[in-house]
């Protein structure tokens, strides 16, 4: 079972998500929180697989709560999906830097929400390709000057190539077609790259691709 913690100060929003998630045979809502402090307490107590985290909450906002969760070694396996009212919310980009695995707008289609929850548990996607590319384009525009690329020395040439393709928003299937390998081989390369770099998930790999200078703005295909 995939265990989900709902973090939103609107009880109606939580109720809607809970009804949808609990109806799935492989997902259960482990707990609900109405503010950031309660979210941290329940994340530590329940150790959910996924936190659906509203960006704007009282006491402690979702961005600060995400940093605390992703920065805690004992919560390393907890994935955070940010919830926002607007798709290009200004805080979304900082949330990805803070370690969130992706984001969803609150009025997203039910199937997309379920797919996202399952995907981030697998570490296999930064949500939908369309949203991914818009996010990466904005991240690229806002990204700071590339840091020293020492991190890339840990990777083989093929792994650097795969990381660059992840960085421009390609899925495993698209990477497989680009490199003329099987989707399983592409997924294996992505997984090994994340392990070598200590990346929590694909979202963090995108950030590292830009911050290391491996991918630069204008490379979106």
């Amino acid at each position: 079972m995939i265990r989900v913690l709902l973090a939103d100060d609107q009880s109606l929003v939580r109720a809607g998500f809970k009804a949808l998630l609990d109806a799935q045979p492989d997902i259960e809502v482990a707990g609900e929180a109405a503010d950031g402090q309660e979210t941290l307490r329940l994340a530590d107590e329940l150790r959910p697989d996924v936190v659906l985290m509203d960006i704007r909450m009282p006491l402690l906002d979702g961005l600060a709560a995400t940093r605390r969760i992703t920065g805690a070694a004992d919560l390393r396996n907890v994935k955070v999906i940010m919830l926002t009212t607007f798709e290009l919310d200004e805080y979304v980009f900082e949330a990805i830097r803070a370690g969130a695995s992706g984001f969803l707008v609150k009025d997203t289609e039910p199937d997309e929400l379920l797919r996202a929850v399952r995907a981030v548990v697998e570490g296999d996607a930064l949500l939908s390709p369309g949203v991914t590319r818009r996010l990466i384009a904005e991240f690229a525009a806002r990204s700071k000057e590339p840091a020293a690329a020492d991190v890339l020395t840990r990777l083989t040439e093929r792994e650097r190539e795969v990381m660059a393709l992840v960085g421009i928003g390609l899925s495993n299937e698209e990477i497989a077609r680009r490199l003329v390998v099987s989707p399983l081989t592409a997924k294996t390369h992505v997984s090994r790259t994340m392990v070598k770099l200590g990346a929590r998930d694909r979202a963090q790999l995108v950030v590292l691709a830009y911050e290391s200078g491996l991918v630069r703005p204008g490379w979106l295909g």
Side-chain angles (χ1 to χ4, degrees), residues 116-217:
V117 168
R118 292 176 177 123
V120 297
V121 168
E122 295 296 324
D124 194 39
L126 184 60
L127 310 184
S128 69
V131 171
T132 298
R133 290 191 176 93
R134 285 195 296 277
L135 173 64
I136 291 172
E138 186 68 22
F139 180 85
R142 296 177 180 219
S143 63
K144 57 189 178 184
E145 285 299 309
D150 295 347
V151 65
L152 300 179
T153 62
R154 307 174 199 168
L155 306 179
T156 65
E157 183 177 349
R158 176 46 62 94
E159 287 164 349
R160 287 194 293 273
E161 187 176 11
V162 167
M163 182 177 173
L165 295 175
V166 170
I168 63 172
L170 299 193
S171 66
N172 288 343
E173 289 73 18
E174 290 169 327
I175 292 172
R177 288 196 294 272
R178 182 75 66 92
L179 300 181
V180 195
V181 298
S182 72
L184 179 59
T185 297
K187 182 175 182 178
T188 298
H189 283 310
V190 172
S191 297
R192 286 177 179 167
T193 302
M194 288 194 294
V195 169
K196 285 186 177 182
L197 299 182
R200 289 170 59 93
D201 50 36
R202 209 175 180 95
Q204 203 167 31
L205 203 58
V206 171
V207 174
L208 289 171
Y210 278 97
E211 293 191 339
S212 67
L214 182 64
V215 177
R216 297 177 185 274

Side-chain angles (χ1 to χ4, degrees), residues 84-97:
T84 179
T85 304
F86 304 104
E87 196 167 87
L88 292 181
D89 189 297
E90 63 180 303
Y91 294 111
V92 164
F93 314 105
E94 288 305 316
I96 296 299
R97 273 205 180 101

Side-chain angles (χ1 to χ4, degrees), residues 19-62:
L20 173 65
L21 295 169
D22 278 343
Q24 307 307 308
D26 60 333
I27 302 174
E28 66 176 0
V29 174
E32 299 180 44
D35 61 64
Q37 294 285 9
E38 188 178 18
T39 300
L40 293 179
R41 180 180 65 78
L42 290 178
D44 186 60
E45 176 185 324
L46 302 174
R47 305 297 170 91
D49 299 297
V50 179
V51 179
L52 286 178
M53 178 94 72
D54 188 20
I55 285 183
R56 295 175 178 82
M57 290 189 294
L59 300 184
L60 188 71
D61 66 35

